[in-house]
Amino acid sequence: MDIATLSLVHAILEHHGIRRAAKASGKPPASVSAALKRFEAAIAVPLVRRDRGNLVPTLEAQSRMADLAAANAAIQLLLRPSPTSNLQAEPQLSYEVFQQTPSSPQRGEGGPQGRMRGTASSEIAESPPSSPCIRSALLPVGEKRESIANADIPGSISVRAIPSISLTALERFVTVARSGSIRGAAKASATGQPQLTRQMSDLEGDLGYTLLIRSPSGITCTAEGLAAIPVIENLLEIWRRLSRASGDRFRRAAATWRFGSVMPLGPESEIARMLAALTAKWHRARPRQPLFVSSATADELIAGLKNRRFDVVLLDLESYPSEFEGKLISRTPLALAGHPSLFAKHGDDIGALLQSNPIAVPSLKSGLRQQAAHFIDAALSEQERSRLTLTEVDSIPVILNLVTDHGYLSVLPESSAARVRNAPAMRRLGPDYMQSLSLAWQKNALSRQVAEAMLSMMTADETSGIAVTFD
C-alpha cells in the first residue's frame, strides 16, 4: 500500500465520486479508479456500489471513513516540511532514542544550499521543527486535530501532488532512525544494505526534504526526520487496523461460498423454501465452508457474479449472459394480483382494471419487472400506458402489502402469492407470462461442481431421495 492510494480513496469517499475526486486531486479518472480497486483488493472489502450511475459508499466504507480521514491528515502533515533556518531551542520531547551521538561535529552531505546539517545531537534534540504542521504530530491527539486544521489557513505551505510512497519504505525509515545505522536496519528488516540506502534516498527525494544525516559514526535524524517519525508511526498504525481486520475477513472469505438470489416473495414462497433448504443442507454437508446468502435484483446479481462478489446466483430470468454457465430450474405461472373488490368491479375488462388502479412493480433491474412490462405492453395501447400510475418498489413483501392493503395491482408468481396469509385475488396471465428461475455461475470446473451441489440441495425431493442433476 502507498500514501497516494490512501489519499485518493479518501478523496473518492469524501467527494462521492471518481471524477470529482480526480478533479480535486488533479489526477486522471483512470488513476483514481485504479487506486480504489487496489485498496479494495488490499482490504478485501467493496467500498462503493453503483446506484443509477452514481457511486454510493457501502456501510463498510462509512465505518472506515474516520481512519481514512486520519490517514489523509497524516499524509498531508508528512508532505509539509518545516523550514529549518528558524529552529528555536525550546523544551520538547527527547529524541535521543532515535539517534546516535557523533564523536565530533560532522558536515552533512549537503542539501539544496549545501548547509550544515547539524553539529551536535543536542542541537537537534533541543530544537524542534518550527512549522505548526509538523510540530502538531508531537502533540496529544486532541490538540493535533486543531493544529492540522490551522495548517490549512491562507498563507500556509501548500500541499503538492502526493507521491506514491509505499508504507514499507516509511516503515523502513523508522527502522533506520531507531537503529542508528543502515547496516543494523538492513539486518533488522532483512533487506540488502545497498537497496535500503537507495530506498532512503528515494524516500527523501519523494518527500522533498532530508530525513537522515549520514556520517562515519552512524545515522542521525534531521529535525524534519524526527518530526516525521510519530506521523509515520500513526499512519502505519491506521493501516495495521485496516489490514488486520481485512486479514481476518479475507481468511473467512477464502473459505466462504457466496450465493446471491433474487428476493423471495415471502417466507412461504418457493424461493424462500429453496434458500432455506440450501442453507440447512449445506451446513450439514460442509460445516467448515460457511455459506453466505444474499438477496438482490437480477442486474445486481449479474454484476456481482462478474466481479466475483458471488460464486453462484439464482436469477428470475430464463436466459443469462453467455460468459457464464447455468441452468433453467423452474418456470412458474404469473398472475395479476389485487384486492377482490377490484376484480369484482371491472370483471373481465383488464384494460380498465389496469388504468383505474395504481400498479406496484419492481425496478427494471428485476426479471419480474420485465415480465410485468411485457404483459402491460400487450394489454394496453401506447396512449393508455402513458396514463398508468406505476410505483417502483424493489421489495416484494412491500409490493404484496400494497396489493393486499392499499388497493394496488401487481404481477406476482401465482403459486407463491397464493401461499401468503390473506392472499390477494389473482388472475393467471397465461402461458406467455412466467417467472423463470435460473442458476448461473462462472465457467470453471470448481464453480460448476459447487453449483451442482447447491442445485441438488435446493431441489431435492426429500421423500423419494431423488435430486435434480445436470444434463
Side-chain angles (χ1 to χ4, degrees):
M1 185 51 55
D2 61 85
I3 65 172
T5 296
L6 289 172
S7 184
L8 287 175
V9 170
H10 173 261
I12 292 169
L13 298 179
E14 185 178 48
H15 295 283
H16 305 289
I18 287 176
R19 293 193 177 278
R20 286 188 287 271
K23 184 177 180 180
S25 63
K27 293 281 188 180
S31 299
V32 178
S33 178
L36 177 62
K37 291 179 181 178
R38 283 196 302 274
F39 188 86
E40 288 181 327
I43 68 171
V45 169
L47 294 184
V48 296
R49 59 181 175 83
R50 290 200 173 274
D51 184 15
R52 300 181 184 276
N54 297 319
L55 287 182
V56 179
T58 63
L59 293 177
E60 293 280 2
Q62 294 175 28
S63 69
R64 285 163 174 74
M65 272 302 293
D67 272 342
L68 285 169
N72 187 63
I75 291 166
Q76 303 299 342
L77 241 116
L78 195 61
L79 296 177
R80 289 179 171 133
S82 62
T84 56
S85 56
N86 297 327
L87 292 178
Q88 308 226 352
E90 61 184 73
Q92 191 54 265
L93 299 176
S94 172
Y95 304 126
E96 293 178 0
V97 68
F98 302 139
Q99 40 186 23
Q100 294 180 348
T101 304
S103 58
S104 61
Q106 299 292 332
R107 183 176 297 273
E109 296 179 1
Q113 292 82 29
R115 65 178 180 272
M116 295 287 286
R117 286 298 182 191
T119 56
S121 65
S122 60
E123 290 182 17
I124 298 174
E126 296 174 2
S127 302
S130 60
S131 166
C133 302
I134 294 295
R135 287 175 60 192
S136 67
L138 304 176
L139 297 176
V141 175
E143 299 176 39
K144 189 182 301 184
R145 291 197 185 99
E146 182 179 355
S147 299
I148 292 170
N150 292 338
D152 292 325
I153 60 175
S156 64
I157 301 172
S158 61
V159 182
R160 56 190 176 83
I162 297 177
S164 297
I165 299 173
S166 72
L167 297 184
T168 300
L170 294 175
E171 187 172 25
R172 286 176 179 171
F173 158 67
V174 174
T175 303
V176 170
R178 291 189 179 281
S179 65
S181 72
I182 291 289
R183 178 181 298 176
K187 184 177 180 180
S189 60
T191 309
Q193 189 172 335
Q195 177 188 353
L196 186 57
T197 300
R198 184 169 57 254
Q199 192 171 40
M200 292 301 99
S201 296
D202 292 343
L203 176 60
E204 291 176 322
D206 288 335
L207 290 174
Y209 56 89
T210 305
L211 297 168
L212 301 168
I213 302 170
R214 287 86 165 167
S215 70
S217 60
I219 294 290
T220 57
C221 287
T222 64
E224 293 94 337
L226 290 171
I229 289 173
V231 180
I232 292 171
E233 289 180 329
N234 180 39
L235 183 60
L236 293 173
E237 178 57 31
I238 292 170
W239 175 245
R240 274 191 286 269
R241 284 200 300 269
L242 292 169
S243 59
R244 182 167 56 241
S246 64
D248 294 341
R249 183 177 294 101
F250 181 79
R251 283 188 290 274
R252 289 196 301 269
T256 299
W257 288 95
R258 296 151 298 180
F259 185 91
S261 168
V262 292
M263 293 168 281
L265 184 65
E268 303 88 354
S269 69
E270 187 67 16
I271 294 176
R273 186 200 64 77
M274 288 194 295
L275 295 181
L278 169 63
T279 303
K281 293 176 183 178
W282 182 277
H283 176 70
R284 289 196 297 268
R286 305 187 180 202
R288 296 184 180 276
Q289 296 182 8
L291 178 65
F292 172 75
V293 179
S294 178
S295 294
T297 63
D299 274 0
E300 291 166 341
L301 293 171
I302 291 172
L305 193 57
K306 286 182 179 179
N307 62 29
R308 299 185 184 277
R309 189 161 59 93
F310 296 117
D311 299 299
V312 181
V313 295
L314 180 64
L315 306 171
D316 55 351
L317 302 170
E318 188 162 349
S319 60
Y320 39 83
S322 58
E323 62 191 281
F324 306 125
E325 290 182 348
K327 183 178 181 65
L328 176 67
I329 61 175
S330 73
R331 299 182 82 239
T332 303
L334 292 174
L336 182 64
H339 195 273
S341 63
L342 301 182
F343 290 97
K345 179 179 179 181
H346 294 281
D348 294 331
D349 192 346
I350 296 297
L353 178 63
L354 293 174
Q355 294 177 79
S356 302
N357 300 278
I359 304 172
V361 290
S363 72
L364 292 170
K365 300 176 182 179
S366 166
L368 185 58
R369 168 64 180 277
Q370 296 175 22
Q371 289 294 310
H374 178 37
F375 164 69
I376 292 171
D377 287 347
L380 301 175
S381 66
E382 184 176 352
Q383 185 176 7
E384 290 171 332
R385 291 196 300 272
S386 66
R387 295 195 294 267
L388 289 180
T389 301
L390 290 179
T391 300
E392 288 191 351
V393 181
D394 268 334
S395 171
I396 301 299
V398 172
I399 289 177
L400 192 59
N401 273 272
L402 288 171
V403 168
T404 56
D405 300 333
H406 299 281
Y408 279 71
L409 298 170
S410 189
V411 173
L412 299 172
E414 183 181 38
S415 59
S416 295
R419 295 192 188 102
V420 302
R421 186 180 302 175
N422 301 322
M426 287 179 288
R427 182 166 297 179
R428 184 177 290 190
L429 301 186
D432 293 334
Y433 307 103
M434 308 286 286
Q435 182 187 49
S436 300
L437 295 180
S438 298
L439 211 62
W441 58 90
Q442 295 283 347
K443 286 184 177 180
N444 59 68
L446 179 59
S447 294
R448 190 175 196 276
Q449 181 183 19
V450 170
E452 181 175 6
M454 289 179 171
L455 183 58
S456 297
M457 295 175 187
M458 292 165 61
T459 58
D461 183 342
E462 296 187 359
T463 60
S464 62
I466 300 173
V468 176
T469 57
F470 283 69
D471 295 332

